[in-house]
Amino acid sequence: MGYRVFIFVLLLITWVLLSGQFDAFHLILGLISCALVTWMSSDLLFRTREDPVMQRVQEGWKLVWYFLWMLWQIFLANIAILKLALSPSALQQVNPSIVHFKTKLKSDFAKFLLANSITLTPGTVTIKIRGDDFYVHAINEEAAAGLDGEMERRIARIYRAERAASSSESSGEEDSQ
Amino acid sequence: MNTFFVWSGIALLLMMVPIFYRMHIGPTAIDRILAVNVIGTKTAVLLVFIGTIFPGGRIEMFVDFALAYGLLNFIGSLAAARYFHRSKAVAGEIDVEGEAEGS
Amino acid sequence: MSIIINIISIVFILAGLVFFFGSVVGVVRFPDFYTRMHAAGKGDTLSSLLVVMGFAVYHLGQIHWTDFAWADLLVVIKLLAICAFIMLTSPTATHALMDAGYEDGIEPLLRKKGNALQDEEIGDRR
């Protein structure tokens, strides 16, 4: 029930932002359509619903800070790309390899975040995710060495379930090659 | 301020031309889709430029256009990617089981 | 005050154009599909982000705080929404194209024997 109210409020915020009309007619129309969508298909948005809603909100808040950190990483990545593209000996500096590592993250959304972050950080792009296995294309040796799991720890810090999972397992089973 | 927006919009437009070149020569189909994807994202940005310098100030309209264009661009490139994901199997060149040897 | 805001937005937009230039040069110059993807995926994301943010700052400066209208603020919020949207979708599209390219059988340019994907993959491909 809590989740339904949460989804309804999210939809209503989206409606108000996108319509930009504040008279009674449009607001009532928004209420009716948000209620209809929540009633029919609210089970599409959140897969697992064991956690209380407030925890989700806290995770969303932490996610904002994570995105700010990632913005800085994208900035560094772009400076690296700019340097590489404009240097005359770019073709000699390119030394690609495909790196494999296993992640300890469990949920789909955390894996999606990790893949996006890998794509946006300097010199690495995710090629394939299969279960726990990540295959990453690294543009040179330094970029491949940079995949030390720091990002994974940051993502695991956002989610309580992931934190519990990663602290119980033993670390250090990455095999990059 | 408006002259700055006009000239930076023109610069953005001119920088799309090399990507058209990549779209033209691109050795593989995915290269071309990549170029189309980049151009599509930049078109969404260009719509914001146009909305800002539009006489009469209709930015609230053009922001909606940009949002919808970005969405369409994303869905389009996902659909193209899904299509090429399976294209070899669809074309019958290889059977799905023995795909690793063919690549 | 408005001059400072205008200068900030000019800096954002120019930075976006510079990074887009880097991405364009990368897309044209890099040797194979995967490295071109590096340039396109990263440069495209950050340059769009910076330009749209510059416009968000500019339109924030355009709001008349004396006779306040919600429509003006909604423009800024929508521009920020475009930013968040680009940040989520652009890497996803890059990843989808990368995956499709690999499945389509484009050979990556590798200097040494380092293809972890091919070593383990023979026999268990879907």
Side-chain angles (χ1 to χ4, degrees):
Chain A
M1 189 59 210
Y3 270 91
R4 291 204 160 199
V5 174
F6 184 46
I7 291 169
F8 178 74
V9 170
L10 278 183
L11 285 174
L12 202 62
I13 290 173
T14 315
W15 171 278
V16 169
L17 284 186
L18 288 181
S19 86
Q21 311 274 336
F22 295 97
D23 50 274
F25 173 69
H26 285 93
L27 284 183
I28 290 172
L29 215 59
L31 279 174
I32 292 172
S33 47
C34 289
L36 263 179
V37 171
T38 313
W39 175 57
M40 287 197 295
S41 53
S42 71
D43 52 337
L44 291 178
L45 192 49
F46 294 105
R47 184 79 58 82
T48 55
R49 298 193 171 187
E50 289 87 34
D51 307 333
V53 176
M54 276 321 287
Q55 192 184 322
R56 292 274 182 177
V57 176
Q58 277 173 5
E59 284 169 2
W61 180 243
K62 283 180 189 165
L63 212 60
V64 172
W65 290 106
Y66 178 76
F67 273 122
L68 286 182
W69 175 77
M70 214 161 81
L71 218 58
W72 172 242
Q73 292 291 313
I74 304 173
F75 191 71
L76 294 182
N78 272 274
I79 289 180
I81 284 287
L82 198 64
K83 265 191 204 158
L84 191 63
L86 295 182
S87 74
S89 63
L91 300 189
Q92 276 76 50
Q93 289 175 39
V94 173
N95 181 13
S97 56
I98 294 180
V99 174
H100 164 240
F101 70 95
K102 267 190 183 309
T103 180
K104 290 192 274 300
L105 300 176
K106 293 288 180 296
S107 70
D108 284 355
F109 190 72
K111 280 177 194 165
F112 160 76
L113 264 187
L114 181 60
N116 270 11
S117 313
I118 286 173
T119 302
L120 290 173
T121 42
T124 47
V125 170
T126 318
I127 293 183
K128 202 175 243 318
I129 311 168
R130 189 176 297 152
D132 286 343
D133 300 315
F134 274 64
Y135 295 93
V136 176
H137 184 271
I139 206 165
N140 53 24
E141 313 258 299
E142 308 159 45
L147 285 169
D148 56 353
E150 207 248 330
M151 210 145 43
E152 200 179 327
R153 276 195 296 281
R154 274 178 188 270
I155 292 174
R157 230 176 288 155
I158 298 175
Y159 294 102
R160 189 169 293 171
E162 307 287 354
R163 268 205 304 273
S166 65
S167 63
S168 64
E169 284 175 36
S170 63
S171 59
E173 49 187 336
E174 293 162 37
D175 55 332
S176 63
Q177 87 95 359
Chain B
M1 210 52 192
N2 256 0
T3 27
F4 169 72
F5 287 145
V6 170
W7 284 108
S8 43
I10 289 174
L12 194 67
L13 202 60
L14 284 183
M15 277 195 273
M16 284 184 196
V17 175
I19 299 185
F20 270 108
Y21 170 71
R22 170 56 68 197
M23 199 158 94
H24 180 64
I25 65 162
T28 61
I30 312 270
D31 273 304
R32 295 166 211 256
I33 299 170
L34 164 69
V36 171
N37 185 23
V38 172
I39 287 175
T41 317
K42 287 302 158 210
T43 310
V45 174
L46 207 59
L47 277 173
V48 181
F49 271 99
I50 295 171
T52 306
I53 58 182
F54 199 73
R58 301 302 304 274
I59 176 68
E60 67 272 15
M61 194 169 76
F62 278 87
V63 165
D64 289 347
F65 293 170
L67 204 57
Y69 199 89
L71 198 74
L72 275 181
N73 182 45
F74 172 61
I75 294 173
S77 50
L78 270 194
R82 281 297 105 184
Y83 174 70
F84 277 95
H85 202 115
R86 296 271 169 242
S87 66
K88 276 197 162 182
V90 167
E93 290 176 24
I94 37 160
D95 54 337
V96 184
E97 262 65 48
E99 203 176 333
E101 286 80 21
S103 64
Chain C
M1 190 58 200
S2 113
I3 287 183
I4 299 172
I5 284 183
N6 282 0
I7 287 174
I8 293 173
S9 82
I10 286 176
V11 167
F12 268 103
I13 291 172
L14 282 184
L17 289 182
V18 167
F19 285 127
F20 184 49
F21 179 68
S23 141
V24 165
V25 173
V27 167
V28 173
R29 229 188 125 194
F30 280 172
D32 78 324
F33 165 70
Y34 296 92
T35 44
R36 283 198 280 274
M37 217 65 181
H38 279 265
K42 287 163 196 151
D44 203 30
T45 312
L46 187 70
S47 57
S48 314
L49 218 64
L50 281 176
V51 174
V52 176
M53 262 189 212
F55 275 107
V57 171
Y58 175 73
H59 285 288
L60 195 66
Q62 295 295 104
I63 297 178
H64 305 291
W65 293 105
T66 45
D67 56 331
F68 180 74
W70 274 102
D72 294 341
L73 191 63
L74 276 180
V75 168
V76 177
I77 295 175
K78 274 182 198 169
L79 284 170
L80 291 180
I82 293 179
C83 278
F85 183 72
I86 287 174
M87 195 152 170
L88 279 179
T89 58
S90 178
T92 313
T94 308
H95 168 67
L97 286 179
M98 200 89 173
D99 197 9
Y102 191 83
E103 290 290 326
D104 206 32
I106 300 172
E107 281 289 322
L109 174 97
L110 298 175
R111 291 274 154 80
K112 56 169 186 161
K113 289 180 185 168
N115 194 343
L117 199 46
Q118 250 169 18
D119 294 343
E120 305 183 14
E121 209 167 49
I122 296 175
D124 69 357
R125 222 181 239 223
R126 266 171 293 172

